[in-house]
């Protein structure tokens, strides 16, 4: 069978099929990095492209061989979002075979590592971490951003990227914008089979990290609020099977969505409660809720804290004001239990 051991089961319905490429990995503690070849008749689409390393690349091409799929049969590559564990084999494939690559319009400057975008990103995060009083925790992340700006040729996607828009149909799949985990996240839905290619929108265990980002004007977006909207929108679709970017394929999306919404409400209540206990800054909140993990998992936890405080402010539960250049939170009313 080659690299990776036992072959994953092919899912078929009529003239359609999904060939899972499930790469076992401890990346971010998620257990696997997943991408899929979706077949619609004689048309083959690669959805996501794994992580950029030699081990995954070997695994990926061996899986295609195991499935008897030639690289020249792939009609297109669609990326659900710009994160590096979803784009790994795009450059190797397109270097040998000029297959078109698609992603959301928001993803394109991120995937291409455009200079204007990278500089705006640096400026945004430097300012964000200063205003939330946590620049000392952000040094490692900011150093990585600086490195990307100066060495972007090692991480950028080289082929042209064609934009996808909300509601567009491509290869028998409907594009659903699903921001939350990232601002550019999309899902791809096959209405006939009920198959949803979800990227990192929702895993079998629930919502993934809602990562703080910025819009085209450099203003902060609220990923938790976006996540709620994306979940509510997705409820309208008759989804039977979810092909997620990590962990297992699953069939109980409605249950996963409700659990994710409940978890958001629980965390929101906890954050407001901690503010009422005089933890008035982002650092105080992060350390009060997560202790030593705040520093260890800073990027993820600070995104959550910022998102929750923005959501609490949006709902009128807290107010915030800048004191000596740092946001300071005060409760207006506790959430009813």
């Amino acid at each position: 069978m080659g690299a990776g051991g036992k072959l994953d089961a092919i899912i078929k319905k009529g003239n359609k099929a999904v060939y899972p490429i499930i790469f076992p990995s401890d990346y971010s503690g998620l257990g696997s990095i997943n991408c899929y070849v979706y077949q619609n008749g004689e048309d083959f689409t690669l959805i996501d492209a794994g992580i950029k390393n030699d081990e995954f690349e070997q695994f990926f091409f061996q899986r295609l061989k195991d499935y008897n799929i030639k690289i020249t049969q792939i009609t297109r590559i669609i990326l659900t979002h710009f994160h590096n564990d979803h784009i790994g084999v795009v450059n190797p494939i397109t270097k040998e075979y000029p297959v078109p690559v698609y992603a959301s319009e928001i993803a394109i400057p991120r995937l291409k590592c455009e200079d204007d975008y990278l500089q705006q990103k640096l400026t945004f995060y430097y300012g964000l971490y200063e205003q939330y009083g946590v620049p000392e925790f952000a040094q490692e992340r900011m150093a990585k951003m600086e490195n990307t700006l100066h060495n972007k040729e090692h991480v950028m996607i080289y082929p042209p990227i064609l934009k996808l828009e909300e509601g567009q149909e491509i290869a028998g799949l409907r594009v659903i914008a699903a921001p939350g985990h990232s601002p550019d996240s999309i899902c791809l839905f096959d209405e006939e089979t009920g198959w949803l290619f979800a990227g990192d929108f929702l895993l079998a265990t629930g919502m993934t990290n809602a990562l703080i980002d910025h819009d085209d004007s450099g203003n902060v977006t609220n990923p938790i609020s976006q996540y709620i909207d994306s979940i509510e929108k997705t409820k309208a679709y008759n989804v039977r099977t979810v092909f997620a970017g990590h962990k297992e394929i699953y069939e109980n999306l409605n249950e996963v969505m409700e659990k994710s919404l409940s978890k958001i409400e629980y965390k929101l209540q906890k954050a407001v409660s901690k503010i009422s206990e005089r933890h008035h800054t982002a650092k105080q909140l992060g350390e009060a809720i997560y202790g030593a993990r705040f520093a260890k998992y800073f990027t993820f936890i600070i995104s959550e804290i910022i998102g929750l405080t923005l959501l609490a402010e949006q709902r009128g539960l807290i107010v915030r004001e800048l004191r000596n250049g740092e946001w300071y939170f005060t409760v207006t009313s506790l959430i009813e239990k």
Side-chain angles (χ1 to χ4, degrees), residues 121-129 141-142 145 212-213:
K121 180 179 180 181
L122 266 176
T123 301
F124 169 77
Y125 281 105
Y126 272 123
L128 183 80
Y129 293 144
R141 187 176 191 215
M142 298 312 300
M145 289 187 201
I212 283 291
D213 213 307

Side-chain angles (χ1 to χ4, degrees), residues 2-14:
K6 184 180 178 182
L7 195 64
D8 298 295
I10 302 169
I11 296 92
K12 292 186 176 181
K13 188 165 186 178

Side-chain angles (χ1 to χ4, degrees), residues 12-17 19 37-46 68-76 97 171-172:
K12 292 186 176 181
K13 188 165 186 178
N15 68 341
K16 298 181 178 181
Y19 302 84
V37 177
Y38 164 75
Q39 180 184 4
N40 184 358
E42 298 301 313
D43 189 75
F44 290 79
T45 300
L46 174 62
N68 295 313
I69 298 172
K70 296 180 175 62
I71 196 66
T72 53
Q73 289 179 272
I74 294 177
T75 308
R76 67 191 63 78
Y97 175 57

Side-chain angles (χ1 to χ4, degrees), residues 237-293:
Y237 294 89
N238 184 23
V239 176
R240 299 185 183 91
T241 306
V242 180
F243 300 92
H246 304 278
K247 300 184 181 291
E248 61 266 30
I249 297 164
Y250 63 97
E251 297 183 342
N252 61 328
L253 178 61
N254 287 336
E255 179 183 345
V256 170
M257 288 192 292
E258 292 305 322
K259 284 184 177 179
S260 297
L261 291 173
S262 294
K263 189 173 184 179
I264 290 172
E265 295 304 319
Y266 169 78
K267 288 188 173 186
L268 180 65
Q269 177 176 310
K270 190 169 187 178
V272 174
S273 178
K274 290 297 180 183
I275 294 171
S276 74
E277 295 170 7
R278 300 186 178 181
H279 300 286
H280 294 293
T281 66
K283 178 182 176 182
Q284 290 171 352
L285 274 174
E287 291 179 336
I289 296 171
Y290 286 101
R293 287 182 293 167

Side-chain angles (χ1 to χ4, degrees), residues 52 79 82 84 87-92 94 107-115 118 148-149 151-161:
K52 185 179 181 180
L79 304 175
F82 76 99
N84 66 352
I87 66 174
V89 294
V90 172
N91 287 340
T94 55
I108 294 174
R110 292 162 166 80
L111 292 166
K112 301 297 288 183
C113 293
E114 294 178 1
D115 287 337
L118 293 178
T148 298
L149 179 63
N151 299 281
K152 66 178 189 176
E153 66 275 5
H154 298 298
V155 294
M156 65 180 288
I157 294 298
Y158 281 97
I161 302 171

Side-chain angles (χ1 to χ4, degrees), residues 1-114:
M1 191 60 65
K6 184 180 178 182
L7 195 64
D8 298 295
I10 302 169
I11 296 92
K12 292 186 176 181
K13 188 165 186 178
N15 68 341
K16 298 181 178 181
V18 179
Y19 302 84
I21 300 174
I22 312 298
F23 178 62
S25 172
D26 291 331
Y27 180 83
S28 293
L30 293 171
S32 69
I33 295 172
N34 308 342
C35 55
Y36 305 92
V37 177
Y38 164 75
Q39 180 184 4
N40 184 358
E42 298 301 313
D43 189 75
F44 290 79
T45 300
L46 174 62
I47 300 174
D48 284 331
I51 197 162
K52 185 179 181 180
N53 64 39
D54 292 340
E55 186 180 3
F56 176 79
E57 188 172 333
Q58 179 185 0
F59 180 91
F60 174 83
F61 286 107
Q62 180 62 51
R63 274 294 182 261
L64 289 190
K65 184 177 179 182
D66 294 337
Y67 285 133
N68 295 313
I69 298 172
K70 296 180 175 62
I71 196 66
T72 53
Q73 289 179 272
I74 294 177
T75 308
R76 67 191 63 78
I77 300 171
I78 300 179
L79 304 175
T80 60
H81 61 296
F82 76 99
H83 290 165
N84 66 352
D85 54 327
H86 292 259
I87 66 174
V89 294
V90 172
N91 287 340
I93 289 174
T94 55
K95 183 178 180 181
E96 301 297 327
Y97 175 57
V99 58
V101 179
Y102 294 82
S104 79
E105 186 172 12
I106 299 171
I108 294 174
R110 292 162 166 80
L111 292 166
K112 301 297 288 183
C113 293
E114 294 178 1

